[in-house]
Amino acid sequence: TGVQTCALPISAQAVSYLGGRIGAALAVSGPGVLNAVAAFANAWSNRWPLLLLGGSYEQSGHSMGFFQEADQLTSLRPFAKYAERVESIERLPIYIAEAVKKAMYGTPGPSYLDLPGDIITGRVDEDEVQWVPRVPDPRRILADPRDVEAAIAAMKTAEQPLIIIGKGVSASRAEQEMRAFVERTGLPFLAMPMAKGILPDDHSQAAAAARSFVLQNADMILLMGARLNWMLHFGLPPRLKAGVRVIQLDLNPEEIGVNVPTEVAMIGDAKATLGQMLDALDREPWTFPQDSEWLAQVRAEARTNQEAVEAMMQEESTPIGYYRALRSLAEAMPKDMILVAEGASTMDISRTVINNYLPRTRLDAGSFGSMGLGHGFAIGAAVETGKHIMCLQGDGAFGFAGTECEVAVRYNLPFTWVVFNN
């Protein structure tokens, strides 16, 4: 298509995240594959399944100096769940199935297959091919019921609880269960950037406008499909309360207790485990006291901050400021539009001004803090969903691959590019 090599794996990640199975990307050999390493690592950091197929030099003469000969596997293996060089055409389906299985099962992530030139151009009789069945969708793993009961019991002892919703909930398609859990418990929630829209940003229990306050003062965090990494200040003081208690839900047991000890861990799929928690609340209904001082403080802090933001949104100074410009976009955007946001302040401030109302309607720098991915995300999202896309970028972010505008125009993709000259 003309899409840059680095943009292709990014587009495939959007296909994977928005479509729910796995996206695949092709890259040419040598510089092409190596140019895709950063994009490949973005899938590793975000825990998204991806299959990257890379052309490679011929098998017939290693170290002879073939065109674009390079050790591509070594560059990709640190970020790959599976990375291998295919040695025969007949066994290619086996490699593909294994790469897909590794990418999708357990903790999702990227796989890479190195395809030598003589494999790509070679031919074999079809009856010699070792066909394998389609890889089934991964099973949804239930948490240990004892852990679910312990989590519910611990939750009831908190005085200043907070639910933090991560994109793992969105990847699991658990938006209905998450909303039901939030509304039944009456707890305030904070959505991580790409979890915005799992519940509407204007929901009465949303605490985004009081983010700093709730993080600093919550005595218990229900960490749902999120990680206590740099995006949550590692769960440590002064940005979070010293000794904060953590109830954690994650598919990956290796994430339990990272940076802050976990009081109760539920290891399982978010959709399945939230279903278990809802079943427990069916048996013994419980709602956090809605007249509590904690909720009153959260609402008061949110109102104060919202008023400050509203004032900046109404500011008519020259040159135009971020908040005023973003207000115009927010007023014009339909609620089901997918927003791709990239570029430091442009991305960060847009989280405050532009609401998301539906799950998986925001794509941004993610856990890896990547730049240069907006173009690929927008193209992949447009192709996968058919929805109208807004690609919002600062001028630096746009400069990484602005020529992808030509690809979008050539294929008449339904999105609008907005570039802030900041």
Side-chain angles (χ1 to χ4, degrees):
T1 65
V3 179
Q4 290 191 11
T5 301
C6 60
L8 282 165
I10 292 296
S11 295
Q13 289 168 57
V15 167
S16 171
Y17 180 60
L18 298 176
R21 187 162 163 90
I22 186 170
L26 305 173
V28 298
S29 58
V33 171
L34 297 180
N35 192 38
V37 172
F40 189 84
N42 190 71
W44 160 79
S45 180
N46 282 315
R47 310 299 196 252
W48 286 341
L50 168 70
L51 174 58
L52 177 62
L53 304 172
S56 186
Y57 64 94
E58 286 80 349
Q59 298 182 104
S60 56
H62 177 61
S63 296
M64 287 179 63
F66 276 102
F67 175 65
Q68 295 184 334
E69 179 176 341
D71 180 2
Q72 297 163 187
L73 285 168
T74 297
S75 296
L76 289 160
R77 273 188 169 135
F79 310 105
K81 288 197 68 185
Y82 180 82
E84 294 293 342
R85 184 171 169 88
V86 176
E87 94 291 348
S88 75
I89 302 172
E90 295 86 346
R91 300 190 72 241
L92 187 56
I94 296 172
Y95 281 99
I96 293 289
E98 193 65 21
V100 169
K101 182 175 70 176
K102 289 290 199 302
M104 291 172 48
Y105 286 16
T107 303
S111 291
Y112 172 70
L113 288 179
D114 213 46
L115 301 173
D118 44 1
I119 294 289
I120 293 173
T121 60
R123 300 168 68 93
V124 296
D125 291 336
E126 189 171 345
D127 58 8
E128 296 178 13
V129 176
Q130 299 178 39
W131 300 106
V132 295
R134 178 183 185 272
V135 177
D137 289 342
R139 296 283 183 91
R140 292 191 181 274
I141 306 300
L142 292 167
D144 188 319
R146 295 169 297 182
D147 293 334
V148 174
E149 294 293 340
I152 295 291
M155 175 183 69
K156 295 177 180 180
T157 67
E159 296 181 2
Q160 298 180 171
L162 173 69
I163 299 172
I164 297 180
I165 306 173
K167 64 179 177 290
V169 174
S170 185
S172 179
R173 273 42 185 184
E175 52 267 18
Q176 292 181 350
E177 292 81 0
M178 190 75 254
R179 181 166 189 162
F181 181 78
V182 168
E183 292 179 346
R184 285 200 206 176
T185 60
L187 300 179
F189 72 89
L190 179 66
M192 299 302 290
M194 277 193 275
K196 281 164 59 71
I198 290 177
L199 280 84
D201 283 336
D202 60 357
H203 193 282
S204 61
Q205 291 167 246
R211 185 181 192 276
S212 295
F213 175 81
V214 292
L215 287 179
Q216 288 175 339
N217 291 281
D219 65 355
M220 174 177 285
I221 290 172
L222 283 78
L223 192 67
M224 303 294 188
R227 289 172 278 171
L228 290 177
N229 56 16
W230 66 275
M231 298 180 75
L232 285 171
H233 318 291
F234 313 105
L236 300 175
R239 302 301 294 273
L240 274 79
K241 189 180 184 71
V244 63
R245 301 164 64 194
V246 177
I247 295 172
Q248 189 170 358
L249 164 59
D250 205 286
L251 184 64
N252 182 6
E254 295 178 356
E255 294 293 346
I256 302 302
V258 173
N259 294 321
V260 174
T262 299
E263 182 172 319
V264 182
M266 294 174 290
I267 300 168
D269 171 80
K271 186 178 182 71
T273 304
L274 281 165
Q276 291 175 277
M277 299 183 81
L278 290 171
D279 289 343
L281 290 173
D282 284 341
R283 293 189 295 270
E284 293 186 30
W286 176 86
T287 302
F288 188 75
Q290 296 303 288
D291 59 353
S292 69
E293 183 180 355
W294 169 239
L295 292 185
Q297 290 175 331
V298 172
R299 294 180 188 123
E301 187 73 17
R303 275 195 304 273
T304 299
N305 292 340
Q306 285 169 340
E307 289 168 1
V309 168
E310 183 64 29
M312 290 186 284
M313 289 168 61
Q314 300 301 326
E315 175 63 51
E316 298 290 348
S317 61
T318 302
I320 191 170
Y322 274 111
Y323 289 86
R324 175 62 185 85
L326 289 166
R327 187 195 101 194
S328 291
L329 297 182
E331 290 172 348
M333 290 174 62
K335 288 188 174 183
D336 65 346
M337 193 173 196
I338 294 177
L339 174 66
V340 177
E342 180 181 22
S345 297
T346 303
M347 175 182 66
D348 293 340
I349 299 173
S350 73
R351 286 199 289 263
T352 302
V353 178
I354 298 178
N355 284 342
N356 291 89
Y357 301 95
L358 297 169
R360 295 172 296 282
T361 52
R362 183 183 178 93
L363 293 164
D364 66 16
S367 305
F368 210 34
S370 300
M371 243 181 124
L373 44 66
H375 317 80
F377 271 165
I379 290 171
V383 170
E384 175 63 26
T385 69
K387 291 183 178 180
H388 201 85
I389 314 296
M390 177 178 288
C391 186
L392 171 64
Q393 297 175 303
D395 47 12
F398 179 83
F400 272 86
T403 49
E404 302 306 345
C405 283
E406 190 278 333
V407 177
V409 171
R410 189 192 312 181
Y411 289 94
N412 197 29
L413 297 178
F415 63 84
T416 301
W417 236 298
V418 177
V419 182
F420 278 15
N421 177 13
N422 54 12

